[in-house]
Amino acid sequence: MKQIKAFIFDLDGTLLDTLQDLYLCCNYALRTHGMPERTLEEVCNFVGNGVKKLMERSVPDGLSNPAFEDAFTTFRQYYLLHSLDNTHPYPGIIEALRELDERGMKLAVVSNKFYKATQELCRHFFNDYIKIAIGEREGIRKKPAPDTVVEAMRQLGVSPDETVYIGDSDVDITTARNCNIPCISVLWGFRTKEFLLEHGATTLVEHPHQLLLIH
């Protein structure tokens, strides 16, 4: 492997603790359309594959429910207005990004969150350090397909052997494998250490400052 030049990050559960806002917005949409609400634990288990999959898992009968599209639209609209209510970077994230930036590392975010929300959250919290933020959009397959990470590497101007991917879920582990790049699995996110190991995690970190040890 060449020397690492680029760090590509997942967003939810990796850089940002977004769970409370996802939970509240999900339940607002369910409640608005007369559907039973979900617990915080359920929503935590439902995230990782994009907000449409979150709502598919949350709405009774999922995509087969005739009110699914209306509930999903309500969620998207409400989330764009309330995505900053409780969301915040995990402790140590800003400091780690600042240090990586000062070392000349190239940084990007690749998320399964819809594109507009990904862009707005990264601009709000990480604009000093992260300029490339790719979310779910038409015409490009979302994670765990390699497409969005490959696009990030293209924009950063780096090769797979110069890149690491950092995430908190099984989706991230599979994504990195599909891109033939190492995956660093974080333990402060939405999945447990046991879950990550069961799904193939090879490198685990407990605090963002440990990312500074990757070369």
Side-chain angles (χ1 to χ4, degrees), residues 66-142:
F68 174 81
E69 289 298 335
D70 289 340
F72 180 46
T73 297
T74 297
F75 172 88
R76 285 174 62 99
Q77 293 173 344
Y78 193 75
Y79 186 72
L80 283 172
L81 297 174
H82 295 277
S83 63
L84 295 173
D85 288 1
N86 302 282
T87 289
H88 56 273
Y90 287 100
I93 286 294
I94 295 295
E95 293 80 1
L97 293 178
R98 181 185 302 121
E99 178 64 25
L100 289 170
D101 180 67
E102 289 176 353
R103 293 181 183 183
M105 294 295 172
K106 299 181 178 183
L107 309 177
V109 162
V110 170
S111 175
N112 277 343
K113 185 186 292 294
F114 54 103
Y115 189 82
K116 185 175 182 180
T118 300
Q119 290 270 307
E120 290 183 356
L121 287 168
C122 287
R123 190 178 302 117
H124 180 81
F125 288 109
F126 310 122
N127 196 50
D128 289 343
Y129 312 113
I130 295 176
K131 305 300 184 183
I132 296 171
I134 299 173
E136 180 184 8
R137 68 182 191 270
E138 293 294 327
I140 187 167
R141 294 181 300 169
K142 65 182 181 179

Side-chain angles (χ1 to χ4, degrees), residues 2 46 52 62 111 115 131 146 159 162 193 212:
K2 296 181 182 179
F46 291 164
K52 186 168 186 178
S111 175
Y115 189 82
K131 305 300 184 183
S159 60
E162 298 171 320
K193 179 179 181 179
L212 303 177

Side-chain angles (χ1 to χ4, degrees), residues 1-175:
M1 179 185 292
K2 296 181 182 179
Q3 184 176 4
I4 296 301
K5 296 180 179 179
F7 287 65
I8 300 177
F9 294 89
D10 173 51
L11 187 60
D12 295 44
T14 301
L15 296 179
L16 293 178
D17 185 352
T18 56
L19 184 58
Q20 186 71 10
D21 285 330
L22 289 169
Y23 162 70
L24 293 173
C25 293
C26 175
N27 279 336
Y28 173 83
L30 294 172
R31 187 166 62 248
T32 297
H33 295 277
M35 300 172 184
E37 297 184 32
R38 295 293 188 169
T39 67
L40 185 66
E41 183 179 4
E42 285 178 317
V43 172
C44 184
N45 289 329
F46 291 164
V47 298
N49 296 90
V51 292
K52 186 168 186 178
K53 183 62 71 171
L54 164 62
M55 290 305 295
E56 180 183 338
R57 291 164 173 165
S58 301
V59 169
D61 300 322
L63 296 175
S64 300
N65 191 312
F68 174 81
E69 289 298 335
D70 289 340
F72 180 46
T73 297
T74 297
F75 172 88
R76 285 174 62 99
Q77 293 173 344
Y78 193 75
Y79 186 72
L80 283 172
L81 297 174
H82 295 277
S83 63
L84 295 173
D85 288 1
N86 302 282
T87 289
H88 56 273
Y90 287 100
I93 286 294
I94 295 295
E95 293 80 1
L97 293 178
R98 181 185 302 121
E99 178 64 25
L100 289 170
D101 180 67
E102 289 176 353
R103 293 181 183 183
M105 294 295 172
K106 299 181 178 183
L107 309 177
V109 162
V110 170
S111 175
N112 277 343
K113 185 186 292 294
F114 54 103
Y115 189 82
K116 185 175 182 180
T118 300
Q119 290 270 307
E120 290 183 356
L121 287 168
C122 287
R123 190 178 302 117
H124 180 81
F125 288 109
F126 310 122
N127 196 50
D128 289 343
Y129 312 113
I130 295 176
K131 305 300 184 183
I132 296 171
I134 299 173
E136 180 184 8
R137 68 182 191 270
E138 293 294 327
I140 187 167
R141 294 181 300 169
K142 65 182 181 179
K143 301 182 297 182
D147 304 38
T148 49
V149 174
V150 169
E151 173 61 17
M153 288 191 288
R154 185 192 69 79
Q155 291 187 35
L156 291 172
V158 294
S159 60
D161 56 1
E162 298 171 320
T163 306
V164 293
Y165 186 78
I166 299 95
D168 73 305
S169 74
D170 53 317
V171 175
D172 297 312
I173 294 167
T174 305
T175 301

